[in-house]
Amino acid sequence: MLLMCLKAFLVGGVICVIGQLLIDITKMTPARILVTFVCTGVILGALGIYDKIIDFAGAGAMIPLTGFGSALAKGTREAINENGLMGVLTGPLTAMAGGVTVAVLSGLAVALVTKPKDK
């Protein structure tokens, strides 16, 4: 258990360090970095590389945005195998529906219980 936590911490930390280096060195905006992480996850997931990283690090690889991209690729691949070309449209939506729903509902809950401040 301790070893798995250490692996998750190290891999998640490396992903965060890469993001920080992108901010410091390239002067990329946070939005572009987020898109870069998702696209990297899609590419690594489509190639089957990110699944090996997830097997090694567990939540340390699944929680960052690269894990989101990998899940999109995996969902698309599975839907294409089941439904053919229509899976390109339905796969990503089916794979990430739960995660997106939790994010939207969490944002709504926070918006309902907090008071916005003027800048």
Side-chain angles (χ1 to χ4, degrees):
M1 174 82 168
L2 182 62
L3 183 60
M4 188 64 187
C5 290
L6 181 63
K7 288 186 219 178
F9 178 77
L10 290 175
V11 171
V14 166
I15 293 171
C16 292
V17 166
I18 291 169
Q20 188 63 49
L21 288 173
L22 288 173
I23 290 171
D24 293 343
I25 294 172
T26 66
K27 305 299 181 200
M28 290 174 69
T29 63
R32 288 185 185 206
I33 293 170
L34 296 176
V35 170
T36 301
F37 277 150
V38 172
C39 291
T40 301
V42 168
I43 292 167
L44 293 176
L47 296 174
I49 297 169
Y50 207 77
D51 291 335
K52 293 174 183 158
I53 298 171
I54 290 173
D55 290 341
F56 175 77
M62 288 189 308
I63 300 301
L65 282 173
T66 47
F68 179 80
S70 173
L72 287 174
K74 184 177 181 180
T76 303
R77 186 173 49 244
E78 290 172 359
I80 288 172
N81 291 337
E82 291 177 12
N83 305 324
L85 191 56
M86 187 56 106
V88 172
L89 300 173
T90 61
L93 297 174
T94 304
M96 297 314 300
V100 172
T101 301
V102 168
V104 170
L105 292 178
S106 298
L108 176 64
V110 169
L112 290 175
V113 299
T114 60
K115 184 176 174 184
K117 297 179 182 177
D118 291 335
K119 289 186 176 185

XYZ file of all heavy atoms in Angstrom:
838
model
N 0.829 -1.193 0.000
C 0.000 0.000 0.000
C 0.877 1.262 0.000
O 0.611 2.188 -0.742
C -0.909 -0.048 1.228
C -1.710 1.179 1.445
S -3.156 1.157 0.422
C -4.064 2.475 1.110
N 1.889 1.270 0.847
C 2.776 2.430 0.920
C 3.521 2.630 -0.395
O 3.678 3.761 -0.861
C 3.760 2.266 2.084
C 4.723 3.424 2.304
C 3.948 4.690 2.653
C 5.710 3.090 3.399
N 3.958 1.521 -1.002
C 4.668 1.614 -2.278
C 3.760 2.175 -3.369
O 4.195 3.002 -4.176
C 5.213 0.244 -2.681
C 6.039 0.200 -3.961
C 7.265 1.095 -3.840
C 6.446 -1.224 -4.282
N 2.500 1.757 -3.393
C 1.562 2.271 -4.396
C 1.336 3.770 -4.204
O 1.279 4.518 -5.178
C 0.239 1.500 -4.313
C -0.705 1.828 -5.413
S 0.009 1.336 -6.989
C -1.165 2.005 -8.104
N 1.212 4.204 -2.962
C 1.057 5.637 -2.684
C 2.285 6.421 -3.125
O 2.166 7.523 -3.673
C 0.790 5.864 -1.201
S -0.828 5.316 -0.658
N 3.458 5.861 -2.890
C 4.688 6.526 -3.299
C 4.769 6.654 -4.817
O 5.114 7.714 -5.345
C 5.908 5.762 -2.762
C 7.267 6.360 -3.090
C 7.410 7.738 -2.462
C 8.375 5.446 -2.616
N 4.413 5.581 -5.530
C 4.417 5.624 -6.999
C 3.428 6.666 -7.512
O 3.738 7.433 -8.426
C 4.064 4.255 -7.578
C 5.130 3.211 -7.428
C 4.674 1.975 -8.198
C 4.995 0.712 -7.516
N 4.526 -0.474 -8.239
N 2.228 6.699 -6.927
C 1.216 7.669 -7.343
C 1.700 9.092 -7.100
O 1.541 9.973 -7.955
C -0.092 7.418 -6.595
N 2.318 9.309 -5.933
C 2.832 10.631 -5.604
C 3.925 11.058 -6.577
O 3.947 12.200 -7.042
C 3.368 10.637 -4.165
C 3.970 11.939 -3.753
C 3.167 13.014 -3.407
C 5.351 12.095 -3.710
C 3.726 14.222 -3.019
C 5.914 13.291 -3.332
C 5.101 14.356 -2.984
N 4.841 10.152 -6.883
C 5.950 10.489 -7.775
C 5.481 10.778 -9.193
O 5.887 11.770 -9.797
C 6.989 9.365 -7.769
C 7.781 9.212 -6.479
C 8.687 7.989 -6.537
C 8.584 10.468 -6.188
N 4.615 9.935 -9.733
C 4.146 10.147 -11.115
C 3.285 11.399 -11.196
O 3.449 12.226 -12.104
C 3.394 8.898 -11.638
C 2.719 9.194 -12.962
C 4.365 7.740 -11.787
N 2.359 11.576 -10.245
C 1.557 12.800 -10.229
C 2.420 14.032 -10.064
O 2.188 15.060 -10.700
N 3.454 13.929 -9.231
C 4.373 15.045 -9.035
C 5.162 15.382 -10.283
O 5.368 16.556 -10.599
N 5.583 14.353 -11.008
C 6.319 14.596 -12.260
C 5.424 15.305 -13.270
O 5.860 16.239 -13.958
C 6.872 13.271 -12.834
C 7.331 13.435 -14.268
C 8.012 12.768 -11.966
N 4.171 14.902 -13.345
C 3.229 15.565 -14.264
C 3.066 17.029 -13.866
O 3.070 17.918 -14.731
C 1.882 14.817 -14.294
C 2.066 13.443 -14.934
C 0.826 15.629 -15.050
C 0.868 12.525 -14.832
N 2.956 17.302 -12.576
C 2.846 18.684 -12.101
C 4.112 19.492 -12.382
O 4.043 20.664 -12.754
C 2.527 18.710 -10.616
S 0.882 18.107 -10.226
N 5.262 18.865 -12.208
C 6.534 19.546 -12.490
C 6.612 19.905 -13.981
O 7.052 21.002 -14.339
C 7.731 18.674 -12.063
C 9.030 19.194 -12.646
C 7.817 18.619 -10.544
N 6.173 18.994 -14.836
C 6.164 19.289 -16.272
C 5.278 20.498 -16.550
O 5.650 21.401 -17.315
C 5.706 18.058 -17.077
C 6.759 16.961 -16.998
C 5.421 18.436 -18.531
C 6.302 15.613 -17.537
N 4.105 20.548 -15.926
C 3.222 21.704 -16.092
C 3.863 22.992 -15.618
O 3.776 24.029 -16.290
N 4.537 22.942 -14.468
C 5.194 24.135 -13.954
C 6.333 24.574 -14.863
O 6.524 25.770 -15.100
C 5.710 23.891 -12.538
C 6.233 25.136 -11.866
C 5.165 26.185 -11.672
O 4.088 25.897 -11.176
N 5.460 27.419 -12.055
N 7.090 23.618 -15.378
C 8.169 23.968 -16.312
C 7.612 24.603 -17.582
O 8.204 25.534 -18.134
C 9.003 22.732 -16.656
C 9.903 22.213 -15.531
C 10.541 20.887 -15.935
C 10.956 23.245 -15.165
N 6.483 24.092 -18.062
C 5.858 24.696 -19.244
C 5.450 26.139 -18.972
O 5.587 27.003 -19.834
C 4.649 23.875 -19.698
C 4.956 22.528 -20.341
C 3.670 21.745 -20.586
C 5.718 22.717 -21.644
N 4.955 26.411 -17.773
C 4.597 27.787 -17.419
C 5.840 28.663 -17.354
O 5.878 29.763 -17.910
C 3.853 27.828 -16.068
C 2.460 27.214 -16.207
C 3.744 29.265 -15.550
C 1.738 27.028 -14.885
N 6.886 28.182 -16.684
C 8.077 28.995 -16.449
C 8.944 29.181 -17.684
O 9.460 30.266 -17.923
C 8.928 28.378 -15.338
C 8.231 28.426 -13.989
O 7.274 29.202 -13.838
O 8.636 27.657 -13.094
N 9.114 28.127 -18.454
C 10.066 28.170 -19.570
C 9.422 28.682 -20.860
O 10.001 29.499 -21.563
C 10.699 26.783 -19.794
C 11.555 26.417 -18.575
C 11.538 26.752 -21.069
C 12.076 24.996 -18.590
N 8.228 28.196 -21.161
C 7.625 28.534 -22.455
C 6.699 29.720 -22.391
O 6.299 30.240 -23.412
C 6.826 27.339 -23.007
O 5.700 27.100 -22.156
C 7.685 26.114 -23.130
N 6.302 30.123 -21.208
C 5.337 31.204 -21.023
C 3.985 30.878 -21.665
O 3.253 31.763 -22.085
C 5.869 32.537 -21.575
C 7.206 32.962 -21.007
C 7.135 33.162 -19.517
C 8.491 33.602 -18.986
N 8.644 33.380 -17.585
N 3.678 29.570 -21.743
C 2.366 29.148 -22.235
C 1.305 29.555 -21.217
O 1.565 29.594 -20.021
C 2.312 27.626 -22.424
C 3.141 27.102 -23.572
S 3.183 25.288 -23.634
C 1.512 24.916 -24.099
N 0.105 29.834 -21.711
C -0.990 30.146 -20.800
C -1.490 28.853 -20.158
O -1.318 27.768 -20.723
C -2.150 30.817 -21.556
O -2.665 29.903 -22.525
C -1.691 32.101 -22.237
N -2.104 28.944 -18.994
C -2.637 27.739 -18.360
C -3.619 26.982 -19.249
O -3.632 25.749 -19.253
C -3.312 28.272 -17.095
C -2.543 29.506 -16.771
C -2.199 30.108 -18.099
N -4.424 27.695 -20.006
C -5.393 27.021 -20.882
C -4.682 26.170 -21.934
O -5.092 25.035 -22.209
C -6.296 28.049 -21.548
N -3.626 26.682 -22.493
C -2.886 25.911 -23.506
C -2.183 24.703 -22.886
O -2.073 23.652 -23.500
C -1.881 26.792 -24.226
C -2.567 27.765 -25.150
C -1.592 28.561 -25.948
N -2.348 29.548 -26.715
C -1.940 30.055 -27.837
N -0.780 29.697 -28.341
N -2.674 30.935 -28.469
N -1.726 24.866 -21.669
C -1.089 23.738 -20.977
C -2.124 22.647 -20.705
O -1.848 21.460 -20.896
C -0.404 24.209 -19.692
C 0.792 25.110 -20.044
C 0.053 23.027 -18.842
C 1.406 25.818 -18.876
N -3.312 23.037 -20.279
C -4.373 22.056 -20.036
C -4.709 21.291 -21.311
O -4.846 20.065 -21.300
C -5.613 22.751 -19.479
C -5.467 23.419 -18.118
C -6.752 24.145 -17.736
C -5.095 22.421 -17.056
N -4.848 22.014 -22.406
C -5.147 21.363 -23.685
C -3.993 20.453 -24.105
O -4.208 19.348 -24.604
C -5.449 22.417 -24.771
C -5.528 21.792 -26.154
C -6.746 23.146 -24.452
N -2.771 20.889 -23.876
C -1.604 20.069 -24.199
C -1.609 18.771 -23.402
O -1.348 17.692 -23.943
C -0.305 20.855 -23.923
O -0.300 22.039 -24.718
C 0.927 20.018 -24.230
N -1.935 18.855 -22.106
C -1.991 17.652 -21.277
C -3.079 16.692 -21.755
O -2.865 15.484 -21.816
C -2.206 18.003 -19.814
C -0.948 18.369 -19.074
C -0.984 19.257 -18.028
C 0.274 17.820 -19.413
C 0.163 19.588 -17.333
C 1.426 18.136 -18.737
C 1.369 19.025 -17.686
N -4.259 17.210 -22.074
C -5.343 16.340 -22.540
C -4.956 15.683 -23.863
O -5.123 14.473 -24.045
C -6.672 17.115 -22.672
C -7.737 16.259 -23.342
C -7.160 17.566 -21.306
N -4.418 16.460 -24.793
C -4.016 15.907 -26.094
C -2.891 14.883 -25.945
O -2.896 13.854 -26.622
C -3.595 17.026 -27.047
S -4.962 18.070 -27.560
N -1.956 15.146 -25.049
C -0.882 14.181 -24.783
C -1.463 12.887 -24.234
O -1.061 11.788 -24.633
C 0.144 14.766 -23.802
O 0.682 15.963 -24.357
C 1.254 13.786 -23.504
N -2.422 13.003 -23.332
C -3.082 11.815 -22.790
C -3.827 11.033 -23.863
O -3.808 9.796 -23.858
N -4.482 11.744 -24.780
C -5.185 11.065 -25.880
C -4.192 10.303 -26.753
O -4.408 9.136 -27.087
C -5.994 12.080 -26.725
C -6.478 11.453 -28.021
C -7.173 12.615 -25.931
N -3.098 10.943 -27.105
C -2.109 10.301 -27.976
C -1.475 9.096 -27.276
O -1.388 8.004 -27.848
C -1.031 11.318 -28.413
C -1.656 12.371 -29.335
C 0.138 10.620 -29.093
C -0.786 13.576 -29.584
N -1.037 9.287 -26.021
C -0.426 8.172 -25.293
C -1.438 7.062 -25.023
O -1.091 5.875 -25.027
C 0.187 8.659 -23.987
C 1.387 9.593 -24.110
C 1.830 10.087 -22.742
C 2.532 8.917 -24.843
N -2.689 7.440 -24.796
C -3.735 6.436 -24.591
C -4.046 5.665 -25.859
O -4.246 4.448 -25.827
N -4.079 6.358 -26.974
C -4.349 5.695 -28.262
C -3.226 4.723 -28.622
O -3.482 3.682 -29.227
C -4.523 6.740 -29.361
N -2.013 5.050 -28.234
C -0.871 4.177 -28.516
C -0.725 3.051 -27.490
O 0.114 2.169 -27.655
C 0.421 5.001 -28.561
C 0.506 6.046 -29.667
C 1.762 6.893 -29.511
C 0.472 5.389 -31.035
N -1.518 3.109 -26.418
C -1.454 2.077 -25.378
C -0.356 2.293 -24.363
O -0.143 1.456 -23.481
N 0.329 3.412 -24.444
C 1.433 3.695 -23.528
C 0.907 4.150 -22.170
O 1.419 3.743 -21.131
C 2.369 4.763 -24.131
C 3.000 4.234 -25.413
C 3.427 5.202 -23.129
C 3.729 5.284 -26.225
N -0.134 4.951 -22.174
C -0.614 5.521 -20.916
C -1.239 4.458 -20.016
O -1.216 4.593 -18.796
C -1.590 6.672 -21.168
C -1.602 7.661 -20.028
C -0.577 8.584 -19.886
C -2.608 7.653 -19.073
C -0.553 9.474 -18.833
C -2.593 8.538 -18.012
C -1.566 9.449 -17.900
O -1.536 10.315 -16.847
N -1.774 3.398 -20.596
C -2.320 2.306 -19.781
C -1.237 1.679 -18.911
O -1.495 1.306 -17.761
C -2.960 1.235 -20.670
C -4.235 1.721 -21.339
O -4.876 2.648 -20.791
O -4.593 1.183 -22.399
N -0.036 1.588 -19.435
C 1.083 1.042 -18.651
C 1.469 1.989 -17.515
O 1.817 1.543 -16.425
C 2.272 0.772 -19.565
C 1.995 -0.339 -20.558
C 3.107 -0.511 -21.543
C 2.704 -1.600 -22.534
N 3.394 -1.544 -23.772
N 1.383 3.292 -17.776
C 1.673 4.271 -16.729
C 0.616 4.186 -15.637
O 0.932 4.243 -14.445
C 1.755 5.694 -17.332
C 2.910 5.776 -18.344
C 1.927 6.740 -16.234
C 2.945 7.059 -19.140
N -0.652 4.024 -16.027
C -1.732 3.881 -15.046
C -1.553 2.607 -14.230
O -1.760 2.600 -13.016
C -3.106 3.909 -15.741
C -3.395 5.315 -16.263
C -4.219 3.458 -14.783
C -4.646 5.426 -17.101
N -1.151 1.518 -14.884
C -0.904 0.270 -14.154
C 0.202 0.450 -13.114
O 0.147 -0.124 -12.032
C -0.522 -0.856 -15.117
C -1.682 -1.315 -15.979
O -2.851 -1.044 -15.617
O -1.422 -1.938 -17.026
N 1.193 1.269 -13.439
C 2.302 1.507 -12.518
C 1.902 2.447 -11.380
O 2.177 2.172 -10.220
C 3.500 2.090 -13.280
C 4.639 2.488 -12.408
C 5.490 1.528 -11.877
C 4.874 3.822 -12.105
C 6.548 1.894 -11.063
C 5.928 4.193 -11.288
C 6.762 3.232 -10.766
N 1.246 3.572 -11.711
C 1.038 4.637 -10.730
C -0.388 4.768 -10.222
O -0.627 5.530 -9.291
C 1.479 5.970 -11.327
N -1.334 4.086 -10.806
C -2.719 4.173 -10.336
C -3.268 5.575 -10.423
O -3.233 6.220 -11.469
N -3.783 6.076 -9.294
C -4.420 7.388 -9.262
C -3.458 8.521 -9.596
O -3.886 9.575 -10.062
C -5.050 7.638 -7.898
N -2.180 8.317 -9.386
C -1.200 9.345 -9.724
C -1.160 9.641 -11.209
O -0.746 10.716 -11.631
N -1.625 8.700 -12.022
C -1.690 8.905 -13.463
C -3.120 9.117 -13.953
O -3.331 9.735 -14.987
C -1.075 7.714 -14.188
N -4.111 8.592 -13.225
C -5.499 8.723 -13.673
C -6.099 10.086 -13.362
O -6.930 10.580 -14.121
C -6.375 7.644 -13.030
C -6.133 6.270 -13.589
S -7.306 5.032 -13.033
C -7.291 5.192 -11.268
N -5.710 10.707 -12.273
C -6.339 11.939 -11.830
C -5.926 13.159 -12.668
O -6.776 13.977 -12.985
C -6.051 12.190 -10.327
C -6.589 11.045 -9.485
C -6.622 13.512 -9.862
C -8.067 10.785 -9.591
N -4.671 13.330 -13.053
C -4.325 14.508 -13.859
C -5.032 14.507 -15.214
O -5.614 13.514 -15.638
C -2.808 14.380 -14.046
C -2.349 13.506 -12.949
C -3.478 12.557 -12.701
N -4.958 15.622 -15.900
C -5.642 15.759 -17.180
C -5.152 14.783 -18.238
O -5.898 14.451 -19.154
C -5.509 17.191 -17.703
C -6.446 18.179 -17.031
C -6.138 19.587 -17.487
C -7.878 17.836 -17.290
N -3.942 14.317 -18.123
C -3.471 13.310 -19.074
C -4.292 12.034 -18.932
O -4.563 11.341 -19.916
C -1.986 13.009 -18.854
O -1.750 12.805 -17.456
C -1.106 14.145 -19.351
N -4.731 11.721 -17.730
C -5.603 10.572 -17.503
C -6.959 10.764 -18.144
O -7.575 9.816 -18.653
N -7.463 11.998 -18.134
C -8.725 12.317 -18.801
C -8.601 12.056 -20.297
O -9.470 11.429 -20.909
C -9.097 13.780 -18.535
C -10.370 14.227 -19.197
C -11.593 13.916 -18.644
C -10.336 14.972 -20.361
C -12.767 14.342 -19.239
C -11.495 15.401 -20.967
C -12.718 15.077 -20.397
N -7.511 12.519 -20.883
C -7.293 12.290 -22.319
C -7.158 10.819 -22.642
O -7.695 10.334 -23.641
N -6.459 10.087 -21.796
C -6.303 8.648 -22.001
C -7.647 7.934 -21.929
O -7.927 7.034 -22.723
C -5.346 8.076 -20.954
O -5.301 6.679 -21.032
N -8.487 8.337 -20.983
C -9.816 7.728 -20.864
C -10.669 8.032 -22.094
O -11.456 7.185 -22.538
C -10.501 8.207 -19.594
N -10.527 9.223 -22.648
C -11.243 9.554 -23.883
C -10.823 8.624 -25.017
O -11.666 8.103 -25.763
C -10.983 11.005 -24.293
C -11.652 12.095 -23.474
C -11.160 13.461 -23.921
C -13.152 12.010 -23.597
N -9.526 8.409 -25.159
C -9.027 7.530 -26.219
C -9.494 6.099 -26.010
O -9.909 5.420 -26.966
C -7.496 7.589 -26.270
N -9.447 5.627 -24.771
C -9.868 4.258 -24.480
C -11.362 4.074 -24.748
O -11.782 3.075 -25.339
C -9.549 3.919 -23.023
C -9.853 2.504 -22.638
C -9.440 2.225 -21.204
C -9.728 0.799 -20.820
N -9.330 0.523 -19.435
N -12.171 5.044 -24.330
C -13.605 4.974 -24.581
C -13.931 4.986 -26.060
O -14.818 4.260 -26.533
N -13.212 5.782 -26.809
C -13.412 5.844 -28.255
C -13.029 4.525 -28.909
O -13.764 4.000 -29.747
C -12.586 6.989 -28.867
O -12.950 8.211 -28.219
C -12.815 7.107 -30.351
N -11.894 3.981 -28.512
C -11.435 2.707 -29.080
C -12.441 1.587 -28.806
O -12.777 0.814 -29.701
C -10.055 2.374 -28.491
C -9.389 1.167 -29.092
C -7.947 0.956 -28.612
N -7.804 1.020 -27.167
C -7.091 1.936 -26.511
N -6.457 2.870 -27.168
N -7.005 1.916 -25.202
N -12.949 1.516 -27.577
C -13.917 0.473 -27.230
C -15.224 0.654 -27.985
O -15.824 -0.320 -28.456
C -14.173 0.478 -25.721
C -12.983 -0.010 -24.914
C -13.168 0.167 -23.421
O -14.225 0.701 -22.995
O -12.250 -0.218 -22.673
N -15.684 1.900 -28.121
C -16.939 2.150 -28.832
C -16.813 1.856 -30.321
O -17.770 1.381 -30.944
C -17.390 3.595 -28.604
N -15.651 2.115 -30.897
C -15.446 1.794 -32.314
C -15.495 0.285 -32.512
O -16.084 -0.203 -33.484
C -14.116 2.385 -32.823
C -14.235 3.906 -32.934
C -13.721 1.782 -34.164
C -12.942 4.607 -33.240
N -14.908 -0.470 -31.581
C -14.956 -1.931 -31.682
C -16.375 -2.461 -31.579
O -16.719 -3.459 -32.203
C -14.075 -2.574 -30.610
C -12.600 -2.347 -30.857
O -12.186 -2.103 -31.984
N -11.813 -2.404 -29.812
N -17.221 -1.808 -30.771
C -18.595 -2.261 -30.582
C -19.556 -1.726 -31.643
O -20.413 -2.454 -32.126
C -19.105 -1.831 -29.203
C -18.437 -2.543 -28.056
C -18.926 -2.028 -26.714
O -19.941 -1.291 -26.676
O -18.288 -2.352 -25.707
N -19.441 -0.436 -31.987
C -20.437 0.229 -32.832
C -19.923 0.695 -34.181
O -20.649 1.374 -34.906
C -21.018 1.435 -32.082
C -21.586 1.068 -30.738
O -22.152 -0.004 -30.578
N -21.422 1.943 -29.764
N -18.686 0.425 -34.484
C -18.138 0.882 -35.757
C -17.835 2.366 -35.719
O -17.485 2.928 -34.677
N -17.999 3.014 -36.854
C -17.628 4.422 -37.001
C -18.431 5.339 -36.072
O -17.942 6.387 -35.649
C -17.798 4.862 -38.454
C -17.213 6.207 -38.830
C -15.734 6.266 -38.486
C -17.422 6.493 -40.294
N -19.651 4.964 -35.728
C -20.461 5.781 -34.823
C -19.809 5.884 -33.443
O -20.055 6.831 -32.696
C -21.861 5.191 -34.695
C -22.806 6.068 -33.907
S -22.926 7.707 -34.590
C -24.526 7.612 -35.317
N -18.942 4.941 -33.102
C -18.236 4.968 -31.826
C -17.322 6.160 -31.667
O -16.992 6.541 -30.541
N -16.907 6.762 -32.782
C -16.068 7.962 -32.710
C -16.823 9.079 -31.996
O -16.236 9.862 -31.248
C -15.632 8.411 -34.125
C -14.940 9.754 -34.088
C -14.742 7.367 -34.756
N -18.131 9.143 -32.203
C -18.943 10.183 -31.580
C -19.430 9.795 -30.186
O -19.479 10.625 -29.292
C -20.147 10.509 -32.465
C -19.821 11.025 -33.869
C -21.086 11.151 -34.685
C -19.088 12.342 -33.794
N -19.799 8.531 -30.011
C -20.403 8.119 -28.745
C -19.389 7.691 -27.698
O -19.652 7.815 -26.501
C -21.393 6.965 -28.975
O -20.679 5.846 -29.522
C -22.508 7.375 -29.911
N -18.247 7.195 -28.108
C -17.260 6.662 -27.174
C -16.762 7.651 -26.141
O -16.808 7.372 -24.936
N -16.266 8.821 -26.563
C -15.761 9.773 -25.571
C -16.843 10.253 -24.609
O -16.596 10.436 -23.427
C -15.228 10.935 -26.407
C -15.068 10.412 -27.776
C -16.026 9.278 -27.930
N -18.050 10.444 -25.122
C -19.136 10.917 -24.263
C -19.504 9.878 -23.221
O -19.719 10.195 -22.052
C -20.363 11.260 -25.125
C -20.167 12.394 -26.125
C -21.393 12.542 -27.011
C -19.878 13.690 -25.407
N -19.577 8.626 -23.638
C -19.915 7.553 -22.713
C -18.814 7.345 -21.682
O -19.085 7.161 -20.491
C -20.154 6.246 -23.491
O -21.165 6.473 -24.476
C -20.588 5.129 -22.586
N -17.571 7.390 -22.121
C -16.445 7.120 -21.226
C -16.321 8.168 -20.121
O -15.954 7.843 -18.995
C -15.148 7.050 -22.025
N -16.614 9.404 -20.427
C -16.363 10.472 -19.461
C -17.622 11.113 -18.903
O -17.542 12.116 -18.196
C -15.482 11.550 -20.118
C -14.108 11.023 -20.519
S -13.265 10.041 -19.264
C -13.136 11.173 -17.924
N -18.786 10.531 -19.173
C -20.038 11.131 -18.700
C -20.071 11.264 -17.184
O -20.476 12.300 -16.648
C -21.229 10.312 -19.196
N -19.637 10.237 -16.477
C -19.650 10.282 -15.011
C -18.742 11.358 -14.453
O -19.130 12.126 -13.565
N -17.522 11.431 -14.960
C -16.562 12.426 -14.473
C -17.002 13.849 -14.763
O -16.877 14.734 -13.907
N -17.529 14.085 -15.949
C -17.993 15.426 -16.299
C -19.207 15.802 -15.444
O -19.325 16.939 -14.983
C -18.306 15.513 -17.807
C -18.980 16.824 -18.155
C -17.027 15.350 -18.619
N -20.095 14.849 -15.212
C -21.270 15.115 -14.377
C -20.857 15.497 -12.964
O -21.389 16.454 -12.392
C -22.201 13.882 -14.343
O -22.603 13.583 -15.680
C -23.418 14.137 -13.490
N -19.914 14.772 -12.383
C -19.437 15.099 -11.030
C -18.818 16.491 -11.007
O -19.060 17.274 -10.081
C -18.435 14.034 -10.534
C -17.723 14.493 -9.280
C -19.150 12.725 -10.286
N -18.046 16.837 -12.022
C -17.408 18.155 -12.063
C -18.453 19.270 -12.150
O -18.359 20.280 -11.440
C -16.450 18.233 -13.249
N -19.451 19.093 -12.998
C -20.488 20.118 -13.153
C -21.305 20.256 -11.874
O -21.575 21.371 -11.403
C -21.392 19.793 -14.365
C -22.621 20.689 -14.398
C -20.610 19.925 -15.660
N -21.715 19.134 -11.286
C -22.513 19.194 -10.061
C -21.707 19.753 -8.889
O -22.253 20.482 -8.052
C -23.078 17.817 -9.727
C -24.133 17.293 -10.704
C -24.587 15.897 -10.301
C -25.314 18.238 -10.821
N -20.419 19.449 -8.822
C -19.569 20.010 -7.767
C -19.454 21.522 -7.927
O -19.530 22.268 -6.944
C -18.178 19.385 -7.802
O -18.248 18.010 -7.566
N -19.274 21.968 -9.148
C -19.217 23.409 -9.409
C -20.511 24.102 -9.044
O -20.515 25.200 -8.466
N -21.642 23.452 -9.361
C -22.944 24.018 -9.007
C -23.105 24.098 -7.492
O -23.567 25.119 -6.955
C -24.065 23.171 -9.617
C -25.493 23.588 -9.266
C -25.788 24.976 -9.807
C -26.476 22.579 -9.799
N -22.719 23.038 -6.791
C -22.838 23.029 -5.330
C -21.996 24.129 -4.705
O -22.459 24.837 -3.804
C -22.431 21.662 -4.786
N -20.788 24.297 -5.173
C -19.918 25.351 -4.633
C -20.504 26.726 -4.943
O -20.496 27.624 -4.099
C -18.478 25.205 -5.181
C -17.645 26.426 -4.857
C -17.831 23.947 -4.627
N -21.045 26.900 -6.146
C -21.635 28.190 -6.514
C -22.849 28.507 -5.652
O -23.110 29.673 -5.360
C -22.024 28.169 -7.994
N -23.595 27.489 -5.246
C -24.796 27.723 -4.429
C -24.468 28.079 -2.976
O -25.229 28.810 -2.336
C -25.704 26.497 -4.473
C -26.395 26.232 -5.815
C -27.159 24.920 -5.771
C -27.307 27.387 -6.203
N -23.362 27.569 -2.455
C -23.060 27.793 -1.031
C -22.043 28.903 -0.786
O -21.813 29.274 0.361
C -22.585 26.491 -0.338
C -23.653 25.435 -0.391
C -21.287 25.993 -0.937
N -21.441 29.429 -1.819
C -20.467 30.511 -1.632
C -21.040 31.813 -2.138
O -21.988 31.850 -2.908
C -19.141 30.214 -2.359
O -19.398 30.063 -3.756
C -18.491 28.960 -1.824
N -20.433 32.876 -1.706
C -20.865 34.213 -2.100
C -19.790 34.829 -2.983
O -18.636 34.970 -2.563
C -21.067 35.057 -0.839
C -21.609 36.416 -1.077
C -21.850 37.117 0.255
C -22.265 38.538 0.032
N -22.400 39.246 1.294
N -20.122 35.180 -4.236
C -19.108 35.750 -5.108
C -18.671 37.131 -4.612
O -19.450 37.880 -4.008
C -19.814 35.850 -6.459
C -21.262 35.857 -6.152
C -21.438 35.097 -4.879
N -17.435 37.456 -4.858
C -16.889 38.754 -4.459
C -16.569 39.558 -5.705
O -16.103 39.029 -6.700
C -15.608 38.567 -3.639
C -15.815 37.844 -2.340
C -14.508 37.680 -1.605
C -14.726 36.903 -0.336
N -13.473 36.660 0.360
N -16.797 40.854 -5.626
C -16.400 41.734 -6.711
C -14.904 41.966 -6.658
O -14.316 42.025 -5.591
C -17.124 43.090 -6.603
C -18.611 42.964 -6.877
O -18.991 42.013 -7.592
O -19.376 43.808 -6.375
N -14.312 42.115 -7.824
C -12.871 42.369 -7.861
C -12.579 43.825 -7.656
O -13.224 44.706 -7.983
C -12.290 41.917 -9.200
C -12.281 40.416 -9.307
C -11.572 40.000 -10.573
C -11.484 38.490 -10.622
N -10.726 38.017 -11.718
